[in-house]
Amino acid sequence: MADIRSNFVGIKSPNPFWLASAPPTDKAYNVERAFKAGWGGVVWKTLGEEGPPVVNVNGPRYGAIWGADRRLLGLNNIELITDRDLYLNLREIKQVKKNWPDRALIVSLMVPCEEQAWKAILPLVEETEADGIELNFGCPHGMSERGMGAAVGQVPEYVEMVVRWCKQTTRMPVITKLTPNITDVRQPARAAHAGGTDAVSLINTINSITAVDLDSFAPEPTIDGKGSHGGYCGPAVKPIALNMVAEIARDAETAGLPISGIGGVTTWRDAAEFLALGAGNVQVCTAAMTYGFKIVEEMIEGLENWMDAKGHATLDDVIGRATPNVTDWQYLNLNYVTKARIDQDQCIKCGRCHIACEDTSHQAITAMVNGKRHFEVIEEECVGCNLCVNVCPVEGCIDMVPLAAGALDKRTGETVQPVYANWTTHPNNPAKVAAK
């Protein structure tokens, strides 16, 4: 059996699945239930500074995007950080850690961007014996308008400054949570690294309005006829999160910096993809809010079974395996040629491949052959774009077949070359460099 125990910046947990800082980790009751269900760790919902807690709205807090089958694809959240008393949270954190010493317990923090505010809260968290802290530089709504959350995360100089304050003050590992609401996520990651962070976590939620009520003409969720932008999460954000994780993992300035991957993790496969791109563990929120805490059982079993089937003994055999294969577009092999192939035995003759190709691509799939409904690839027109594969409702019915070196590409009339060649040396590139 594969060993999926995790050691993330010295924080040990029985598996790499942590609950992210969010409504599911708001109090001891939830966290205890999560640990009983099998979660390896929890990031406690973000704590603020001492004094009156923040005030949340008393109405709808979520907007949603659904698929055709009502499956939740994305969730928009306008809830703020914890609205519970700081000391109540601290007492509960201390007790939960005592009850579950083998689980990772991280405390998310967000206080004003002032040195004294950070240095005041850190000793209080240390006293709970939590395993580490996560600096919330990602929340895009409510708190950012007050100069916290994403307002800090979008300014690399502030990120480095606050991380440095925390590292000078606490013995606990510091995880810096990054905002995706920025042009280049590598910049705050580099700043956190320069400040001494032990790890980064990403992504936090994405600024969004998920819908507009066309009767009231107000954004959803609607509070007394008005709406606000919120933080978008769930399966729909996974591609964005994967890219940002990969960007940091392969950046020369942050290479080797531990990453906690967040964003749309719903299945074991999602988690494995994050790990393969360089994340040391994953954090989950929307999947738990949709299906309940016991979804972690499927994640654990699925990851173990896949690792066993592939011969991966530990998480280290998986972490970062895909990172070297992520490259810039200009380095992709332009001599690699594929053609679509339709399995006629599996084809249900729905015609989606034809109409997608005919209307929006390269007119490379027939609709009729010899007077009969028949869908077949016209190799002379096929550019290998694989749109047909993605719109086909039958998995495996259409695949992409690479042409061997020396074969004739009927579209171009040229022979497929056996050597690697990319845009940097292509004759059409006005800035081409000499081939080595």
Side-chain angles (χ1 to χ4, degrees):
M1 177 68 72
D3 182 358
I4 64 168
R5 289 178 297 177
S6 172
N7 186 338
F8 186 74
V9 297
I11 302 170
K12 296 180 180 180
S13 57
N15 61 64
F17 299 104
W18 293 5
L19 280 174
S21 171
T25 64
D26 186 44
K27 53 185 173 291
Y29 178 83
N30 303 69
V31 175
E32 292 265 4
R33 283 178 60 84
F35 284 156
K36 289 174 184 176
W39 290 89
V42 157
V43 183
W44 202 277
K45 185 167 182 177
T46 306
L47 309 184
E49 65 181 338
E50 187 174 359
V54 303
V55 177
N56 273 297
V57 296
N58 296 306
R61 300 180 184 184
Y62 304 106
I65 296 292
W66 296 278
D69 59 355
R70 188 69 180 180
R71 185 169 67 91
L72 188 68
L73 301 180
L75 199 64
N76 170 291
N77 176 20
I78 63 169
E79 185 169 299
L80 304 181
I81 65 174
T82 184
D83 53 14
R84 304 169 71 237
D85 179 73
L86 172 63
Y87 288 96
L88 172 60
N89 275 300
L90 293 171
R91 288 194 298 272
E92 290 186 357
I93 291 166
K94 186 178 180 69
Q95 186 60 51
V96 171
K97 184 58 189 176
K98 182 178 179 181
N99 294 348
W100 296 88
D102 67 323
R103 307 302 171 92
L105 184 52
I106 312 301
V107 179
S108 176
L109 297 174
M110 182 194 296
V111 298
C113 196
E114 302 164 1
E115 184 173 7
Q116 188 51 46
W118 284 97
K119 291 191 172 182
I121 198 169
L122 290 171
L124 301 179
V125 178
E126 277 198 358
E127 203 278 328
T128 68
E129 300 184 25
D131 296 298
I133 58 171
E134 183 178 77
L135 312 183
N136 184 344
F137 295 158
C139 185
H141 58 277
M143 305 308 295
S144 55
E145 289 94 320
R146 309 177 198 187
M148 294 179 275
V152 177
Q154 291 167 336
V155 183
E157 294 81 5
Y158 291 173
V159 171
E160 180 177 350
M161 178 177 68
V162 177
V163 170
R164 199 175 299 279
W165 290 342
C166 294
K167 287 299 295 180
Q168 291 171 350
T169 305
T170 183
R171 59 163 178 79
M172 297 180 290
V174 174
I175 303 169
T176 304
K177 191 170 188 178
L178 304 179
T179 176
N181 302 299
I182 193 166
T183 304
D184 186 350
V185 76
R186 295 174 300 177
Q187 300 303 322
R190 291 168 181 170
H193 191 39
T197 195
D198 295 284
V200 292
S201 58
L202 68 152
I203 59 174
N204 208 313
T205 54
I206 300 170
N207 258 334
S208 65
I209 293 175
T210 51
V212 175
D213 186 315
L214 294 181
D215 292 317
S216 66
F217 291 99
E220 297 179 351
T222 305
I223 302 294
D224 192 25
K226 303 289 183 181
S228 173
H229 69 89
Y232 193 54
C233 56
V237 311
K238 189 185 86 168
I240 299 168
L242 287 174
N243 175 63
M244 291 189 170
V245 166
E247 286 295 284
I248 294 171
R250 70 191 188 98
D251 181 44
E253 296 187 38
T254 54
L257 178 64
I259 300 170
S260 183
I262 312 170
V265 177
T266 307
T267 68
W268 69 266
R269 182 179 292 275
D270 298 329
E273 290 173 3
F274 273 94
L275 296 175
L277 285 173
N281 69 7
V282 294
Q283 296 185 35
V284 180
C285 172
T286 308
M289 295 179 74
T290 306
Y291 303 109
F293 287 150
K294 287 189 176 182
I295 192 174
V296 76
E297 295 175 0
E298 297 178 16
M299 294 179 177
I300 292 170
E301 182 180 8
L303 183 62
E304 288 177 337
N305 289 344
W306 172 74
M307 289 176 62
D308 283 342
K310 298 296 183 179
H312 303 310
T314 68
L315 295 179
D316 288 338
D317 294 336
V318 177
I319 295 171
R321 286 285 294 273
T323 307
N325 293 325
V326 182
T327 189
D328 296 332
W329 190 96
Q330 64 182 334
Y331 300 121
L332 296 176
N333 185 7
L334 298 179
N335 281 340
Y336 180 77
V337 181
T338 65
K339 300 289 181 181
R341 180 180 60 190
I342 301 172
D343 184 339
Q344 297 301 326
D345 291 333
Q346 293 194 63
C347 179
I348 61 173
K349 297 179 171 51
C350 66
R352 287 176 64 176
C353 61
H354 164 75
I355 205 63
C357 189
E358 191 73 13
D359 285 357
T360 68
S361 289
H362 301 279
Q363 299 75 53
I365 298 179
T366 66
M368 303 288 288
V369 174
N370 296 326
K372 295 183 179 180
R373 189 173 176 86
H374 182 81
F375 302 97
E376 190 172 315
V377 175
I378 305 168
E379 287 198 21
E380 289 81 359
E381 303 297 336
C382 180
V383 303
C385 72
N386 89 323
L387 174 62
C388 56
V389 176
N390 290 308
V391 301
C392 178
V394 180
E395 185 176 1
C397 179
I398 308 176
D399 61 355
M400 303 305 298
V401 181
L403 296 188
L408 177 67
D409 182 348
K410 294 180 181 180
R411 184 179 69 88
T412 64
E414 297 179 357
T415 300
V416 177
Q417 298 300 307
V419 295
Y420 162 81
N422 62 49
W423 175 244
T424 65
T425 59
H426 196 280
N428 289 10
N429 182 358
K432 66 180 180 294
V433 297
K436 295 182 179 179

